Amino acid sequence: MSEAIEYERVGDIAVLKANNPPVNALGMDVRAGLIAGVERAEAEGARAILIYGGGRTYFAGADIREFGKPPTKPYLPDVCNRIEASPLLVVSAMHGTALGGGLEIAVSTHYRIAVPSARMGLPEVHLGLIPGATGTQRLPRLVGVEKSLDIMTTGRQINAQQALELGVIDGIAEGEPRDIGLTYAQELLDAGAPRRAVSEMPAPAPIDFDAAYDATLARSRGQISPAYCVRAVKAACDLPFAEGVAAERALFRELMETDQRQGMIHAFFSERAVSKLPELEGVAPRDVNAIGVIGGGTMGSGIATACLLSGLNVVLLEMTPEAAEAARGRIEGNLGGAVKRGKLSQDKYDAITGKALTLSTEYAALSDVDLVIEAVFEEMGVKKQVFTQLDAVCKRGAVLASNTSYLDIDEIAACTSRRGDVIGLHFFSPAHVMKLLEVVVADATAPDVVATGFALGKKLGKVSVRAGVCDGFIGNRILKTYRTCADHLVLDGASPYQIDKAMTGFGFAMGPFAVADLAGLDIGWATRKRLAPTRDPRERVPTYPDKLCEHGNFGQKTGKGYYDYAGGKRGGVPNPQVMELIEAERAELGIAPREFSDEDIVRRYMASMVNEAAKVVGEGIARRPLDVDMTLLFGYGFPRYNGGPLKWADMQGLPALLDDICGYAEEDAYFWQPAPLLEQLVAEGRSFDDLNKEAA
Ligand code: 3H9
């Protein structure tokens, strides 16, 4: 018998305990162990079988690490069917998270009981898949088509109470899973309860599947697996069980071959790998309980909100009592939003605003905080003043962090007497919502300060990425390059609207021009002015966006930018002045506009992003390609199903991308300088993912 499933006999009941930490994933040994356990129970004359998970959870799903490799027997759907086919009474006792294949095993057993904290779901869509172990055939028979489609197409988890109400489980009981399972199984035996097979239940009533398919496809912004769930569930209505299972298997296998599946599984593992850095092994973070935040604008208030929501005490420093009050208003507004969304109770809100938050106008108020984050105006002189003050008032060992989005942290650190304590913690706005945190490590930053940055990120529920110092770090540096590519496309003939459409077609939540309107066009304007004195004369920089700004059109906040937001239209309509300004600039520069297909636009835009990303990795600003991928995914709206720019590049094929870049360089050799790392990988026949694996 496999060690992944432990066998025990308690009276008439055979107990199968999963022993495959950390999450009892249904790898080959577990699958084989389940079948062997059922066979042994039958051979030994047991009357019932109890299945439960050792450690922290029931089965959390198929073993994702096996995906993409040749499947090995016994296959999970066969395991599910074998369990259900047993003449013995089979009971599941669930705790932790019964997800994907785990829930599919559970609904193949005849009765299910769970502890109150148990959660369950079919999250396969988040991996670019559908439930592929009979879940699309069994769950609709159990709870109906609409409810099961909701669970499958969203991948959301339900709690034990909801599962009970839906009929996914039969009971809830407090206690250890083994104990509640044994008690329940014995009760069922004593009551002479019948064996109950979901596959033998009548086929569920159909719905308008064509409409459901179209609606699901439209909702998923280019991701195909949710719509495949609809097709699989339709099979549950149309076909006998066994044929439905075959149809599900065919759809599952089809998805297994897609780039979307590869992209999403890359995202799953990278999201977890991103904060695992060899340099942090064995390095303990410093204790952080009280946080100082300097500056109470949108960013500072967002950072303060994130910290307060995670149970930290915050001292927020502003210049004047009025500004401090305004900051309090912003933070209370953010927290009030969390109460409305059900993320924060009124009691907690009262406690946070009453005690955990202090506002001050005196630096001395920061003398006792463990970590301070400055979020003041992006100007080196201002930052230096702030850090000089912090050096004077903060206690020894306090971490001094800057939220700058591009300034040199080494230079900021140099104005203190404690360079090792200085780090960049770059949040994304709104900081209490956005998941990304760039942890920017300067030359002298001490390892335990880096560890503290990552520990804080974890506490705040962020995806933290290590970045080195350069203008814009990982994310904004790459953004600047693909934005420039978009600007060049506009000068040469595309419209901002066509580019936005092409990039939302690729899967971005918004195109670059709509994003600029949201962020405020004055930001790019200020950056262009800042960089103008040192700009290389070969750089092509359009001037029409400056003209928009000169007329006070800063995007959404002024009602007009690339789009016109008059009439309260959320997405806005194209601002007619924009094309006039563009055409005038093209005429002035003597550019004859040419046609770009949406595909051309995507290809160039992505090539520029990949090329810059390869430079960022090659220069060590990002340690691994996956660090770039997670930055773009969690901070810049990159579609998860494309994995990240460098995973996407691998899937496209690096030689073809490099060829494209070299072709574009014939038009503009300055902008399209191929990244040395990209050239090297192509020459060696390797991929970005090879670099990820080498760094693991
Ligand atoms: C499926 O079931 C398909 C079937 O329908 C059909 C098949 C034919 N496999 O997240 P954590 C690892 S698809 C392998 O940090 P938490 C994870 O990488 C599957 N490994 O813990 C990490 O490793 P490391 C459907 C897995 O407490 C460690 O376990 N199921 C798997 O924050 C701890 O994970 C899912 O999609 C796995 N299935 O969260 C569930 N799951 O320490 C995916 C986790 O080396 N999993 N690992 O970095 C989750 O959502 C969360 O991991 C879970 C625990 C909620 C379970």
Side-chain angles (χ1 to χ4, degrees):
M1 195 98 202
S2 124
E3 283 174 13
I5 295 289
E6 289 172 16
Y7 187 93
E8 180 197 4
R9 193 59 194 272
V10 182
D12 285 335
I13 305 168
V15 182
L16 308 188
K17 171 186 168 187
N19 178 28
N20 188 26
V23 298
N24 288 323
L26 287 147
M28 193 184 69
D29 288 352
V30 180
R31 300 195 301 273
L34 281 168
I35 292 208
V38 169
E39 281 171 355
R40 179 167 165 190
E42 288 167 4
E44 279 187 0
R47 291 175 61 213
I49 299 172
L50 166 66
I51 299 178
Y52 80 100
R56 65 196 222 208
T57 186
Y58 190 78
F59 311 98
D63 189 335
I64 302 170
R65 289 166 305 185
E66 290 180 356
F67 291 173
K69 300 178 186 154
T72 43
K73 285 186 174 177
Y75 303 137
L76 196 52
D78 298 336
V79 177
C80 291
N81 290 336
R82 177 65 185 88
I83 289 171
E84 190 193 64
S86 176
L88 312 185
L89 209 60
V90 191
V91 176
S92 279
M94 298 149 82
H95 76 300
T97 41
L99 299 175
L103 186 58
E104 292 174 298
I105 291 274
V107 295
S108 303
T109 61
H110 305 139
Y111 291 90
R112 292 161 291 282
I113 189 160
V115 299
S117 59
R119 300 183 67 80
M120 41 212 92
L122 293 171
E124 285 86 344
V125 289
H126 298 317
L127 303 171
L129 293 167
I130 59 170
T134 73
T136 65
Q137 307 303 299
R138 284 200 166 91
L139 196 67
R141 283 178 161 78
L142 205 54
V143 306
V145 166
E146 280 179 6
K147 282 169 185 148
S148 53
L149 272 180
D150 171 44
I151 290 172
M152 284 174 214
T153 58
T154 61
R156 74 187 174 87
Q157 291 180 12
I158 54 173
N159 62 32
Q161 186 57 38
Q162 291 162 329
L164 183 66
E165 283 158 19
L166 282 173
V168 176
I169 57 174
D170 305 292
I172 298 179
E174 299 265 7
E176 292 299 316
R178 180 179 178 279
D179 299 340
I180 64 167
L182 279 173
T183 307
Y184 185 48
Q186 194 58 55
E187 278 168 17
L188 290 165
L189 285 178
D190 294 347
R195 197 186 137 271
R196 212 181 45 172
V198 174
S199 70
E200 290 162 18
M201 291 168 71
I207 58 165
D208 180 348
F209 281 107
D210 288 343
Y213 182 86
D214 291 344
T216 307
L217 201 57
R219 258 199 317 272
S220 358
R221 281 216 205 104
Q223 197 197 329
I224 54 171
S225 56
Y228 270 54
C229 292
V230 179
R231 289 173 62 187
V233 170
K234 181 174 185 302
C237 298
D238 293 351
L239 301 172
F241 182 78
E243 287 173 39
V245 169
E248 173 196 86
R249 192 82 190 138
L251 292 167
F252 180 82
R253 288 226 165 114
E254 208 183 297
L255 287 170
M256 196 57 109
E257 298 308 315
T258 59
D259 282 355
Q260 292 200 355
R261 190 276 299 167
Q262 271 200 58
M264 292 187 97
I265 288 187
H266 171 75
F268 177 87
F269 285 117
S270 300
E271 201 178 329
R272 288 161 175 79
V274 77
S275 56
K276 285 185 193 135
L277 294 170
E279 72 193 73
L280 296 184
E281 250 167 57
V283 180
R286 297 182 187 176
D287 275 345
V288 172
N289 297 305
I291 301 272
V293 176
I294 308 182
T298 308
M299 186 50 104
S301 301
I303 295 171
T305 307
C307 294
L308 290 165
L309 282 170
S310 306
L312 294 160
N313 291 326
V314 172
V315 181
L316 189 137
L317 192 74
E318 254 299 355
M319 309 258 276
T320 62
E322 295 73 36
E325 267 321 294
R328 180 187 285 283
R330 279 185 205 106
I331 295 168
E332 288 180 355
N334 292 341
L335 294 170
V339 174
K340 260 195 215 134
R341 289 192 304 276
K343 302 247 175 228
L344 184 71
S345 69
Q346 187 63 44
D347 282 356
K348 280 226 168 101
Y349 174 95
D350 294 340
I352 289 174
T353 49
K355 252 188 163 176
L357 173 64
T358 312
L359 289 121
S360 179
T361 55
E362 303 291 332
Y363 268 91
L366 298 174
S367 61
D368 213 27
V369 298
D370 305 304
L371 184 150
V372 53
I373 305 165
E374 114 352 79
V376 302
F377 191 63
E378 285 283 81
E379 218 268 306
M380 185 53 91
V382 182
K383 303 276 186 198
K384 282 184 173 171
Q385 275 174 20
V386 169
F387 275 78
T388 307
Q389 299 260 29
L390 290 178
D391 194 23
V393 301
C394 287
K395 68 181 179 192
R396 285 286 129 193
V399 173
L400 311 184
S402 171
N403 177 55
T404 180
S405 47
Y406 59 87
L407 292 173
D408 184 343
I409 310 280
D410 286 308
E411 198 180 333
I412 295 175
C415 72
T416 71
S417 63
R418 31 174 135 176
R419 294 180 60 188
D421 294 339
V422 178
I423 193 166
L425 291 178
H426 180 211
F427 290 80
F428 289 71
S429 194
H432 57 297
V433 177
M434 293 290 287
K435 291 274 277 178
L436 181 64
L437 176 68
E438 277 181 315
V439 178
V440 188
V441 181
D443 282 347
T445 310
D448 66 338
V449 171
V450 181
T452 310
F454 275 92
L456 177 69
K458 189 169 182 199
K459 190 157 177 73
L460 303 186
K462 306 288 181 203
V463 172
S464 308
V465 179
R466 184 201 193 281
V469 175
C470 68
D471 197 295
F473 314 128
I474 299 178
N476 281 348
R477 171 168 162 184
I478 297 171
L479 164 73
K480 179 169 171 268
T481 302
Y482 63 78
R483 261 308 311 223
T484 303
C485 175
D487 285 339
H488 293 176
L489 280 162
V490 168
L491 284 179
D492 292 335
S495 80
Y497 315 107
Q498 190 196 358
I499 295 173
D500 276 1
K501 188 174 124 289
M503 294 325 297
T504 50
F506 178 81
F508 276 93
M510 291 167 93
F513 296 95
V515 169
D517 268 3
L518 183 66
L521 301 187
D522 45 332
I523 296 180
W525 193 25
T527 309
R528 284 191 297 279
K529 283 195 248 181
R530 175 172 63 90
L531 297 177
T534 52
R535 187 172 293 145
D536 190 294
R538 290 169 295 178
E539 212 176 314
R540 298 175 72 201
V541 184
T543 56
Y544 77 90
D546 300 344
K547 297 193 178 104
L548 267 181
C549 290
E550 282 158 18
H551 291 103
N553 295 322
F554 292 162
Q556 284 202 17
K557 61 186 168 192
T558 58
K560 233 189 225 181
Y562 291 103
Y563 295 85
D564 187 337
Y565 301 89
K569 281 206 172 174
R570 243 185 119 214
V573 293
N575 171 3
Q577 283 166 327
V578 171
M579 283 317 294
E580 283 170 23
L581 290 170
I582 291 169
E583 277 157 19
E585 186 164 355
R586 284 178 191 153
E588 202 180 306
L589 296 169
I591 297 171
R594 56 185 154 126
E595 292 257 322
F596 290 97
S597 67
D598 288 2
E599 204 191 333
D600 292 335
I601 290 173
V602 168
R603 198 83 195 154
R604 278 181 188 247
Y605 192 88
M606 287 305 302
S608 70
M609 191 185 299
V610 170
N611 199 38
E612 192 65 29
K615 290 178 188 170
V616 161
V617 177
E619 291 167 24
I621 299 299
R623 283 276 159 91
R624 302 158 295 186
L626 68 86
D627 293 317
V628 171
D629 285 345
M630 294 307 99
T631 303
L632 271 290
L633 230 62
F634 288 99
Y636 297 82
F638 192 96
R640 191 178 173 93
Y641 60 75
N642 280 322
L646 295 179
K647 180 67 190 175
W648 179 85
D650 276 350
M651 294 190 293
Q652 296 299 303
L654 301 189
L657 263 167
L658 181 60
D659 276 354
D660 280 356
I661 291 167
C662 294
Y664 304 146
E666 286 170 17
E667 290 167 25
D668 181 350
Y670 176 73
F671 180 71
W672 292 103
Q673 297 176 42
L677 178 63
L678 183 58
E679 292 179 313
Q680 186 193 335
L681 289 176
V682 170
E684 293 170 355
R686 292 195 302 153
S687 67
F688 288 110
D689 222 21
D690 289 334
L691 299 181
N692 288 327
K693 288 188 189 119
E694 283 162 22

